Amino acid sequence: MDDNSIKTVRFGILGCANIARKVARAIALAPNATLCAIASRSKEKAEKFAAENAFPASVRIYGSYDQVLEDPGVDAVYVPLPTALHVRWAVMAAARNKHVLLEKPVALHVADLDRILEAFESNGVQFMDGSMWLHHPRTARIQSFLSSSNTIGPIRFIHSTSTMPAPPEFLENDIRVKPELDGLGALGDLAWYCIGASLWAKGYQLPTSVTALPDVTRNNAGVILSITASLLWDQPHQTLATIHCSFLSHTSMDLAICGSNGSLHLRDFIIPYHETSASFDLTVGAKFVDLHIGWNVRPEEVHVATELPQEALMVQEFSRLAASIRDCGSRPSTKWPEISRKTQLVVDAVKKSLELGCKPVCL
Amino acid sequence: MDDNSIKTVRFGILGCANIARKVARAIALAPNATLCAIASRSKEKAEKFAAENAFPASVRIYGSYDQVLEDPGVDAVYVPLPTALHVRWAVMAAARNKHVLLEKPVALHVADLDRILEAFESNGVQFMDGSMWLHHPRTARIQSFLSSSNTIGPIRFIHSTSTMPAPPEFLENDIRVKPELDGLGALGDLAWYCIGASLWAKGYQLPTSVTALPDVTRNNAGVILSITASLLWDQPHQTLATIHCSFLSHTSMDLAICGSNGSLHLRDFIIPYHETSASFDLTVGAKFVDLHIGWNVRPEEVHVATELPQEALMVQEFSRLAASIRDCGSRPSTKWPEISRKTQLVVDAVKKSLELGCKPVCL
């Protein structure tokens, strides 16, 4: 263990999910993180994964998740396991004093999430979910426009989508549509982003009520493949958000935020088109010219560069918090668990509205 | 009356609404139309309007709408009167054998519209509503992508908005929010476009059901200032459309159509940013690159030029149909009345859903 690996936060990864390739690269890119260990349920699978992704020889390869949690050279774990396994492994990781970056959706319902979060609180370790887009500098830039009272004005309407055209085999067999693994289906995998974006735009104020729309689609096992829902805020002024999430539609990641004075649009809010720069469209004070034969302004494209990809920025922020706890005795940040919990509450409310035949569910 | 004015369709305008300025200009621009008469309830007001808009001296100026309808030199009338007056004046115009270009919303409910359409059918004259955007060549271009089975694929989701930030005096006193004049408020004035666009995208198949969302806002007189609703199609595959229309939000005219294989986006679908050229964004076959760190394609901006503004193309198409009836004994086209009637049926269903506390209304 060299000096560098002590100063940085030392990561283990539980499982060889496809997304782990992206996060392993992000750990390599983040200046304050190092990948130290990878585990699968079989050592052979972990070895193959490490070789395919050109992990350094220093990365320890394990044939069980337990071994990562028992490794004293691991400060933090990234957990991309199926949602149904989150309680078990996140709680166990917290009990072993590991900080956890937990892939979304974080839990099947808020009761499970509360078991997880209690374990983190009582062990004084950091929790964060894997919502990468929140860490892109574009997100902060948009936030600055939303916060400026003269730019967008009070938000009246938010619309977001997260859709991808899954092939037939995915719709029956992928982990994300297996009731015993990711029972929330598209509501967990995709709506997590849209609900998260709506809450983020509203400064994490919970909506007054949530209503599912009557177009839910399920696979033969009853798992949600597509869902549309609305979130309503009554105070301090009325805001409605619509979200549409589907494994049955062309790839889209639209986010539109419309206030009384301006609006913001982007179509790649979850994964930017390109790694090094992203943009959004800003329109302020739009009016029609005389005779209503055109507009006084067109949307302005605002570009935001980023030196590190958003997932590396996520790892960097998580590692900063973990290192602060480890090296300076800080308390874990409550910001990220609170964001996850509010998102989960709305996920649960959409599910309940569906169960009630699309009746509004108050929060 | 010179030769040219006989070959062209000779228009009268009932009323001096602001929108009449735009349509008067469109009549001047359309090669097969001529403005011949303008009426207001006072001759002075009509004279002032004619002077302000530099109407030719040949335009006859009347102090009552009846006089336009009695003028044998008028083939067709444009009616931008408040919706509550449409039955009276459209039926009277049809009875005098005038073709009518009727401003939207065409009626307060479908029973009124049916009275209007029956008058047109029995008198053999043309009816068309004032939805200008349907006549832009961009609309036809988008239609060609929607019709091509390999481009967009079956439509899964449609989202549209029509919003404008009305000043306080508008919200209390404008014709469009007066219960006795335009009692449908934003549902008539703005949602007409979004409902029309959703129906258009679906080839004018009526939705199975329509559901208002719980964010309706009304003024003190009970007229709708903002409304969100969803339209659901069950056959041949499921499609959901959401519409958001408001006098309380920043100007927006978003239209997004997402199929299984591609998607289309525009943000100026009702009034293009510029008169001479318009565009839309087309994205087909979008996927994430390896590691999901970007996209394989970005939206392509498709430009569509137009020699005439969309409102002049509307007048041209309407005049073509009217001239064909007048000069060749053709029957009126049923296409335009059918589009208006389907739009009205959905407007009525949204209104009914609101009255039922946002319950779905089947069509």
Side-chain angles (χ1 to χ4, degrees):
Chain A
M1 219 177 295
D2 61 21
D3 271 4
N4 189 48
S5 69
I6 293 178
K7 281 179 198 153
T8 63
V9 168
R10 299 162 302 179
F11 274 82
I13 297 180
L14 302 196
C16 299
N18 206 34
I19 184 81
R21 296 172 59 221
K22 182 175 184 173
V23 174
R25 175 174 173 270
I27 292 167
L29 289 170
N32 58 350
T34 314
L35 181 60
C36 291
I38 173 89
S40 183
R41 281 170 297 175
S42 88
K43 196 174 179 191
E44 291 68 33
K45 197 176 164 198
E47 279 166 347
K48 186 162 175 278
F49 188 79
E52 280 170 0
N53 292 285
F55 286 175
S58 59
V59 173
R60 298 179 286 286
I61 295 172
Y62 295 121
S64 83
Y65 306 146
D66 285 304
Q67 289 175 286
V68 176
L69 301 187
E70 285 158 11
D71 185 333
V74 167
D75 301 308
V77 288
Y78 169 59
V79 180
L81 299 172
T83 311
L85 304 178
H86 283 189
V87 175
R88 177 178 173 191
W89 291 104
V91 167
M92 201 180 299
R96 305 271 166 87
N97 285 300
K98 309 298 188 198
H99 310 283
V100 174
L101 184 57
L102 186 61
E103 200 42 76
K104 37 62 53 184
V106 291
L108 294 171
H109 43 69
V110 76
D112 271 3
L113 180 56
D114 282 343
R115 287 176 60 194
I116 293 172
L117 296 181
E118 278 156 26
F120 281 80
E121 200 175 340
S122 61
N123 289 283
V125 281
Q126 186 65 46
F127 172 94
M128 182 187 277
D129 82 47
S131 298
M132 299 166 178
W133 71 275
L134 283 170
H135 302 271
H136 197 288
R138 173 173 65 177
T139 307
R141 188 74 181 277
I142 294 173
Q143 182 65 60
S144 74
F145 282 108
L146 294 178
S147 306
S148 153
S149 58
N150 294 327
T151 311
I152 304 299
I155 298 173
R156 301 295 189 189
F157 189 69
I158 304 164
H159 174 65
S160 64
T161 71
S162 175
T163 65
M164 54 174 276
E169 62 273 19
F170 176 107
L171 299 178
E172 289 302 324
N173 294 319
D174 191 87
I175 284 170
R176 285 171 276 182
V177 294
K178 284 281 184 188
E180 70 281 13
L181 295 174
D182 267 310
L184 294 170
L187 175 57
D189 188 45
L190 304 177
W192 188 266
Y193 295 115
C194 295
I195 290 169
S198 304
L199 287 170
W200 164 79
K202 287 291 290 178
Y204 291 104
Q205 182 189 350
L206 280 174
T208 320
S209 67
V210 168
T211 312
L213 299 189
D215 66 328
V216 65
T217 310
R218 298 174 187 271
N219 70 3
N220 290 335
V223 176
I224 294 165
L225 300 181
S226 85
I227 172 94
T228 310
S230 68
L231 286 58
L232 177 67
W233 287 261
D234 271 343
Q235 297 293 334
H237 55 266
Q238 192 164 275
T239 306
L240 191 85
T242 51
I243 66 166
H244 173 65
C245 305
S246 175
F247 290 126
L248 307 172
S249 286
H250 181 242
T251 305
S252 78
M253 299 179 159
D254 296 354
L255 175 60
I257 302 170
C258 192
S260 57
N261 192 53
S263 49
L264 288 154
H265 288 79
L266 51 167
R267 293 219 293 275
D268 60 347
F269 86 95
I270 305 167
I271 298 176
Y273 291 126
H274 293 298
E275 263 204 324
T276 51
S277 173
S279 71
F280 60 93
D281 280 356
L282 174 68
T283 318
V284 178
K287 288 187 284 201
F288 304 119
V289 298
D290 188 37
L291 290 175
H292 286 208
I293 56 174
W295 298 47
N296 64 331
V297 292
R298 287 193 67 151
E300 175 198 357
E301 190 175 0
V302 181
H303 294 270
V304 183
T306 176
E307 283 183 29
L308 286 176
Q310 60 183 8
E311 57 273 17
L313 293 169
M314 173 182 74
V315 169
Q316 185 177 32
E317 169 66 2
F318 174 76
S319 299
R320 187 185 68 78
L321 296 167
S324 179
I325 296 165
R326 182 191 64 185
D327 304 334
C328 312
S330 302
R331 292 285 307 155
S333 162
T334 57
K335 172 185 171 182
W336 300 105
E338 281 169 9
I339 288 175
S340 304
R341 190 170 191 277
K342 286 180 175 175
T343 310
Q344 185 76 51
L345 283 172
V346 177
V347 167
D348 290 9
V350 174
K351 187 157 179 269
K352 189 170 176 196
S353 176
L354 274 179
E355 288 162 4
L356 296 174
C358 298
K359 288 210 167 60
V361 170
C362 293
L363 279 108
Chain B
M1 219 177 297
D2 61 21
D3 272 2
N4 190 48
S5 70
I6 292 177
K7 280 179 199 156
T8 64
V9 168
R10 300 163 299 180
F11 275 81
I13 296 179
L14 302 195
C16 300
N18 207 36
I19 184 80
R21 296 172 57 220
K22 182 175 184 173
V23 174
R25 175 174 172 267
I27 292 167
L29 289 169
N32 57 350
T34 314
L35 182 62
C36 291
I38 173 90
S40 183
R41 282 170 295 174
S42 88
K43 197 174 179 193
E44 292 68 33
K45 198 176 164 197
E47 279 166 347
K48 186 162 173 278
F49 188 80
E52 280 169 359
N53 292 284
F55 286 174
S58 59
V59 173
R60 297 179 287 284
I61 295 171
Y62 294 121
S64 83
Y65 307 145
D66 284 302
Q67 290 175 286
V68 177
L69 300 187
E70 284 158 13
D71 185 333
V74 168
D75 301 306
V77 288
Y78 168 60
V79 181
L81 299 172
T83 311
L85 304 178
H86 283 189
V87 175
R88 176 177 174 191
W89 290 104
V91 167
M92 201 180 298
R96 305 268 167 89
N97 284 302
K98 308 298 186 195
H99 310 282
V100 174
L101 182 59
L102 185 61
E103 200 41 75
K104 36 65 52 184
V106 290
L108 294 171
H109 44 69
V110 76
D112 271 3
L113 180 56
D114 282 344
R115 287 176 62 194
I116 293 172
L117 295 181
E118 279 156 25
F120 282 80
E121 201 176 337
S122 61
N123 289 284
V125 281
Q126 187 63 47
F127 172 93
M128 181 185 279
D129 82 46
S131 299
M132 300 168 179
W133 71 275
L134 283 170
H135 302 269
H136 197 288
R138 172 172 68 176
T139 307
R141 187 74 182 276
I142 294 174
Q143 183 64 59
S144 74
F145 282 107
L146 294 178
S147 305
S148 153
S149 58
N150 294 328
T151 310
I152 304 300
I155 297 172
R156 302 294 189 190
F157 189 70
I158 304 163
H159 174 65
S160 63
T161 71
S162 176
T163 65
M164 56 174 274
E169 61 274 20
F170 176 107
L171 299 178
E172 290 301 323
N173 293 320
D174 192 87
I175 283 170
R176 285 173 276 181
V177 294
K178 284 280 184 188
E180 70 283 11
L181 295 173
D182 267 309
L184 294 170
L187 174 59
D189 188 45
L190 304 176
W192 188 267
Y193 295 115
C194 296
I195 290 169
S198 304
L199 288 169
W200 164 79
K202 287 292 290 177
Y204 291 104
Q205 181 189 350
L206 279 175
T208 319
S209 67
V210 168
T211 313
L213 299 189
D215 66 326
V216 65
T217 309
R218 298 175 187 271
N219 69 4
N220 290 336
V223 176
I224 295 167
L225 301 181
S226 87
I227 173 95
T228 310
S230 69
L231 285 58
L232 177 69
W233 288 261
D234 272 342
Q235 298 294 335
H237 55 266
Q238 192 165 275
T239 306
L240 190 87
T242 51
I243 66 166
H244 173 66
C245 305
S246 176
F247 290 127
L248 306 172
S249 288
H250 182 242
T251 305
S252 79
M253 298 179 160
D254 296 354
L255 175 60
I257 303 170
C258 192
S260 57
N261 192 53
S263 48
L264 289 154
H265 288 78
L266 51 166
R267 293 220 293 275
D268 60 346
F269 86 95
I270 304 167
I271 298 175
Y273 291 126
H274 293 296
E275 264 204 325
T276 52
S277 173
S279 71
F280 61 93
D281 280 356
L282 175 67
T283 318
V284 177
K287 287 188 285 203
F288 304 119
V289 298
D290 187 37
L291 291 176
H292 286 207
I293 56 174
W295 298 47
N296 65 331
V297 292
R298 286 193 67 153
E300 176 198 357
E301 190 175 0
V302 181
H303 293 269
V304 182
T306 176
E307 283 183 30
L308 286 176
Q310 60 184 7
E311 57 274 16
L313 293 170
M314 173 182 75
V315 169
Q316 187 177 31
E317 169 66 4
F318 174 77
S319 299
R320 186 185 68 77
L321 295 168
S324 178
I325 296 164
R326 182 192 62 186
D327 303 334
C328 313
S330 301
R331 292 285 307 155
S333 162
T334 57
K335 172 185 171 183
W336 299 106
E338 281 169 10
I339 288 175
S340 304
R341 191 171 191 277
K342 286 180 174 174
T343 309
Q344 185 77 50
L345 283 172
V346 177
V347 166
D348 289 10
V350 174
K351 187 156 179 269
K352 189 169 175 196
S353 177
L354 274 180
E355 288 162 5
L356 296 173
C358 298
K359 288 210 168 61
V361 170
C362 294
L363 277 110

